Structure formats: structure tokens, C-alpha cells
Amino acid sequence: MIKLSYNEILRKILHISSLIVPLSYLFFIVDKESMLKYILIAIIFAFLIETLRIKFSNFQNIFNKYFGLMLRGEEKNGKITGATWMLLGWFTTILLFPIDIAVAALIFLSIGDAIAGLVGKTFPIFKVKDKSISGTLAGIIGCVSSVAILNPTLPLSIIIIGAVSAMFIELLPLPLDDNLTIPNFSGIVMFFADYIL
């Protein structure tokens, strides 16, 4: 068993708290255009912050002082933060897919990715670069159970297929941030699986 850093625990807690977005879309802001508008405003604000902290070292120092605990090393040095990638993941997923598939894909991102990271780093069994099969399996279980409870409009078979695809893409060492790839890839897979099955 490996002890997680405070930084990683905090990031995973924030990741899980992002569950508010798919649940808001499912229960409160069910209009796609309205949801996209709110997220787009957040994206514009996020890119303004990203630009300021990349171009101005004083702003970067202030940003790192207050948010440094939530940042990884490369993010502190100017790489786009996971939070901005997550906003982009929310926007593209809601834009591209029907609400039931979009909500499921975003729950996979919130719950599955966090569980995979926590379990994979704490109990790293069968490592694949910096990730592990143990985390992937835990993520699949978390994805299926959470979506089955929170968004039961999809058939269980589609939820399972989506969960496996979400955690498969999370496991791969791709250059794109998984806050973007997880919901979009699993959304595509569920969309076609729902059409075929």
C-alpha cells in the first residue's frame, strides 16, 4: 500500500465534487443550450486565467500561492490545468451527445477517474506506466454502480460498455488530457452501442 500525497487526495475530492455538473444537467438545467452557455462562460474565464498565468510571472506566482496545492508540477510551470481540460470535456460531451449518454459519460469522468486514481496509486497492481490495472477495475466498478444508481435511464449493458471504454481510455498513456478523452470516448462508444443494440 502506498500513501497518497495531500495534493492527490485534494485533486480527487475536487474531481468527485465535479459530479454536480452532470447531476445539474440531469435534474435542474435540462436544456442543452443553457447548460452549454454556462459552461462556455466558465471556459472563457478559465482561458483568461490560463493566459494571464502563462504570460505574467507575477500572476503565476499569485495563482500558485492560492491554488498550488491542487496543481501538479507541470501545471505550476505553465501547462494548462486539469480544471480547464475538464471544462472542455464537459462542453464537448454535452454538445455532442443526448442527455442520458452525456450525463453517464460525465459521471464516468467524475467518479470513475477519481476512483481509478485513488485505488491505482494506493494499491498499484499490474502497472501500465504510471497507472495500474487495479485502478482500472475499481474505476469500472465505480462507474457502473454510480451511473446505474444516478442515471438509470440507460440499459445496464450500455452502462457497462461505456464504463469499460471510459476506464480503458483512462489507462492509456495518451497525449491528450483524460478529462477530455474519458467522457468523449465513452460517449461515442455508448452512442453507437445504444444504436446497434
Side-chain angles (χ1 to χ4, degrees):
M1 180 175 167
I2 298 173
K3 188 175 180 180
L4 289 172
S5 67
Y6 179 73
N7 172 285
E8 278 302 314
I9 293 171
L10 185 58
R11 285 179 71 96
K12 298 311 176 191
I13 290 171
L14 289 170
H15 219 76
I16 292 170
S17 70
S18 73
L19 189 63
I20 193 169
V21 171
L23 293 184
S24 294
Y25 186 36
L26 184 63
F27 296 115
F28 304 112
I29 311 171
V30 295
D31 177 61
K32 178 181 280 197
E33 287 186 8
S34 297
M35 197 69 186
L36 289 172
K37 180 178 68 176
Y38 297 137
I39 296 172
L40 183 59
I41 291 168
I43 288 171
I44 292 168
F45 179 74
F47 271 104
L48 174 63
I49 298 297
E50 296 282 8
T51 302
L52 289 172
R53 73 184 191 88
I54 289 169
K55 290 195 173 291
F56 301 102
S57 58
N58 287 341
F59 189 89
Q60 186 181 76
N61 292 336
I62 294 168
F63 186 88
N64 289 348
K65 178 182 177 182
Y66 290 100
F67 300 102
L69 280 175
M70 295 179 283
L71 301 176
R72 293 199 170 114
E74 64 272 17
E75 293 172 335
K76 288 181 182 178
N77 295 324
K79 186 179 177 183
I80 291 176
T81 64
T84 299
W85 282 112
M86 182 172 280
L87 286 167
L88 292 170
W90 292 343
F91 186 85
T92 52
T93 304
I94 291 170
L95 176 68
L96 293 173
F97 305 111
I99 187 169
D100 54 347
I101 289 175
V103 167
L106 295 180
I107 292 173
F108 294 159
L109 175 60
S110 299
I111 301 294
D113 189 35
I115 291 174
L118 288 170
V119 173
K121 284 182 170 64
T122 308
F123 304 100
I125 301 170
F126 303 117
K127 293 206 72 172
V128 179
K129 291 206 172 182
D130 63 336
K131 299 184 180 181
S132 69
I133 300 298
S134 57
T136 300
L137 293 176
I140 290 171
I141 293 168
C143 284
V144 172
S145 56
S146 57
V147 173
I149 293 168
L150 297 171
N151 186 29
T153 57
L154 285 174
L156 184 59
S157 59
I158 303 301
I159 295 172
I160 292 170
I161 290 168
V164 171
S165 65
M167 292 301 96
F168 169 75
I169 206 74
E170 189 274 339
L171 181 65
L172 296 180
L174 299 175
L176 276 176
D177 193 282
D178 60 12
N179 288 322
L180 183 65
T181 58
I182 287 172
N184 282 283
F185 181 73
S186 62
I188 290 168
V189 171
M190 285 188 288
F191 180 82
F192 285 105
D194 192 39
Y195 180 77
I196 293 167
L197 300 178

